[in-house]
Amino acid sequence: MARNEEKKLHIVMFPWLAFGHLIPNLELAKLIAKKGHQVSFVSTPRNIDRLPKLPSNLVSFLSFVKLPLPKVDNLPENAEATTDVPYDVVQYLKKAYDALEEPLTSFLESSKADWVFYDFAAFWAGSVASKLGIRSAFYSIYTPPAMGFIGPASVLSGENSLRTKPESLTVAPPWVHFPSTVALRLFEIMKILDTVSDDNESGVSDMYRFRESIQNCDIVVIRGCTEFEPEWFQVLDNIYQKPVLPVGQLVNREFEDEEDTDTWRWVKGWLDNQARGSVVYVAFGSEAKPSQEEVTEIAKGLEKSKVNFFWVLRLRRGAWDPHVLTLPEGFEERTKARGVVWTSWAPQLRILGHVAVGGFLTHSGWTSVVEAVQNEKPLILLTFLADQGLNARVLEEKKMGYSVPRDDRDGSFTGDSVGDSVADSVRLVMFEQEGRIYRDKIKQVKDLFVNTQRQDKYINDLLSFLQFHGNNKHA
């Protein structure tokens, strides 16, 4: 074992083409590279060029491998990530991604890799690695509760009759043997029904991708920590029947690109002029785009709340998105004394770290959650897609966040008039006595997320496992 631990590994990482996936993969890659192991981070040229620059001490250990994205019909030129295209075009992006199987195989053949870490979309990568004598890990950036909820392979394959209707996803499944509210609301399910259908241009459902990814790997590596969600790790152990290794919450301790200093200088200047804890930061990540109805509700809510705000609003998903969001007439003029609507990239980590920010209205994407906890900002939750509803249930259960009230069936906002739900939720979490529990709880859980010794132990334990079992594979 001692000799195994002396061996330096070569790990290939192949994330899905979404920045909500690329960034957590890069964070793990950096932590592995810091231990002196070689990491090849494989993606498309434009995505790699848009990633944060590497610290100089990691350049010799972490290399970027650019595989040109194959052209497919209906996928716009230079569209290489989900952020570049409207939601209904993502199926063509998956089709192009699947066409990377051959170039990835060619790279692996000459790479002398010990392990391949692949994402859910690359359902074929585990089989490719196995044929080449390389160990593989399905690396899930989705949390243990989300993966536990979607379930074992028999359910993902449709062989099990438990989930024949959308309503069956609104309750905790039978393999979760403890009380839990972690489930989807009906309106959240209806938004993502296409992910369970094979009737899309890639020819493969997301459920099939998850099933094959889980079945064809040697181990499952997952973002999360056992101290925060021990019961969900037990669920995964039970349903996967193979090693499940946590890698911690992957807190980003480095600020975004320092190149965009003019942006931060302006934003900081504005925040510096606001009272401590008076600003709600509103942002929904690189993937989620609100509907026009949701934008109107948020805008009216921010106006009614009388709370200062900094709102990062993506008006469209890429240059080919025909649906450009609009704000209510006169909104910016009426709120200009206390609010900003920012329509381009913003330095989220820096903003959340500013003392003027007292709350975060978020989509519940886990990277944003981690950054909020890191900076002790209580959460107001407004979900849109994918696993966000499951993340929100976890945060509600643990009193780390409060969801904007919505009708469970159709997602319509409650309240007597437009904006009431958002306005009431923001004030509750940020200022009212009833919301104090959210402000306190976010501070109490911080150590579970940002403890550097714990994070270091997760990486050391992972590498020890990879060294020992990787060598056995080639023995």
Side-chain angles (χ1 to χ4, degrees), residues 212-422:
E212 294 296 293
S213 293
I214 293 162
Q215 285 191 321
N216 293 331
C217 66
D218 292 299
I219 63 171
V220 175
V221 173
I222 192 161
R223 183 181 195 175
C225 72
T226 51
E227 293 86 349
F228 180 66
E229 47 214 350
E231 69 280 13
W232 287 105
F233 274 96
Q234 187 59 59
V235 169
L236 297 182
D237 284 338
N238 295 341
I239 64 177
Y240 292 164
Q241 296 293 301
K242 61 177 61 178
V244 178
L245 283 75
V247 294
Q249 300 292 5
L250 303 177
V251 171
N252 183 357
R253 298 185 182 280
E254 296 154 5
F255 287 121
E256 294 95 334
D257 268 331
E258 296 294 340
E259 293 173 12
D260 209 341
T261 51
D262 288 343
T263 294
W264 172 237
R265 193 176 297 118
W266 191 95
V267 174
K268 182 179 184 298
W270 186 85
L271 289 170
D272 286 345
N273 286 321
Q274 314 306 314
R276 185 185 186 95
S278 68
V279 176
V280 59
Y281 173 58
V282 185
F284 305 115
S286 59
E287 315 304 319
K289 178 192 170 188
S291 67
Q292 183 59 58
E293 179 196 1
E294 288 163 337
V295 166
T296 301
E297 174 73 22
I298 295 163
K300 294 285 190 182
L302 292 174
E303 188 170 354
K304 285 185 175 184
S305 73
K306 307 297 185 189
V307 176
N308 298 349
F309 64 87
F310 191 97
W311 183 5
V312 180
L313 175 61
R314 293 189 64 215
L315 298 175
R316 65 202 303 196
R317 277 180 66 142
W320 301 274
D321 187 350
H323 304 295
V324 182
L325 297 171
T326 59
L327 292 163
E329 188 174 350
F331 168 77
E332 288 185 271
E333 180 64 27
R334 292 191 300 272
T335 60
K336 66 180 181 181
R338 60 179 178 84
V340 172
V341 179
W342 193 266
T343 57
S344 57
W345 176 86
Q348 177 162 295
L349 199 57
R350 286 186 178 275
I351 293 170
L352 285 170
H354 198 283
V355 295
V357 174
F360 184 12
L361 176 55
T362 174
H363 59 316
S364 309
W366 205 250
T367 293
S368 289
V369 170
V370 171
E371 291 179 352
V373 175
Q374 181 180 356
N375 290 289
E376 301 182 1
K377 308 301 183 187
L379 300 164
I380 307 108
L381 311 172
L382 188 61
T383 64
F384 298 99
L385 283 174
D387 61 329
Q388 293 164 11
L390 300 173
N391 292 345
R393 301 303 96 75
V394 173
L395 298 167
E396 293 161 6
E397 276 189 357
K398 294 181 179 290
K399 302 297 182 187
M400 293 166 60
Y402 176 83
S403 287
V404 174
R406 302 179 77 170
D407 182 277
D408 282 353
R409 297 194 66 80
D410 64 11
S412 60
F413 294 93
T414 61
D416 295 332
S417 61
V418 177
D420 286 351
S421 286
V422 169

Side-chain angles (χ1 to χ4, degrees), residues 142-159:
Y142 298 105
T143 63
M147 293 303 296
F149 176 80
I150 67 172
S154 61
V155 171
L156 292 168
S157 67
E159 298 164 14

Side-chain angles (χ1 to χ4, degrees), residues 54-70:
L54 287 180
S56 57
N57 63 316
L58 298 184
V59 171
S60 60
F61 298 101
L62 206 171
S63 58
F64 291 114
V65 178
K66 296 180 177 181
L67 297 182
L69 189 66

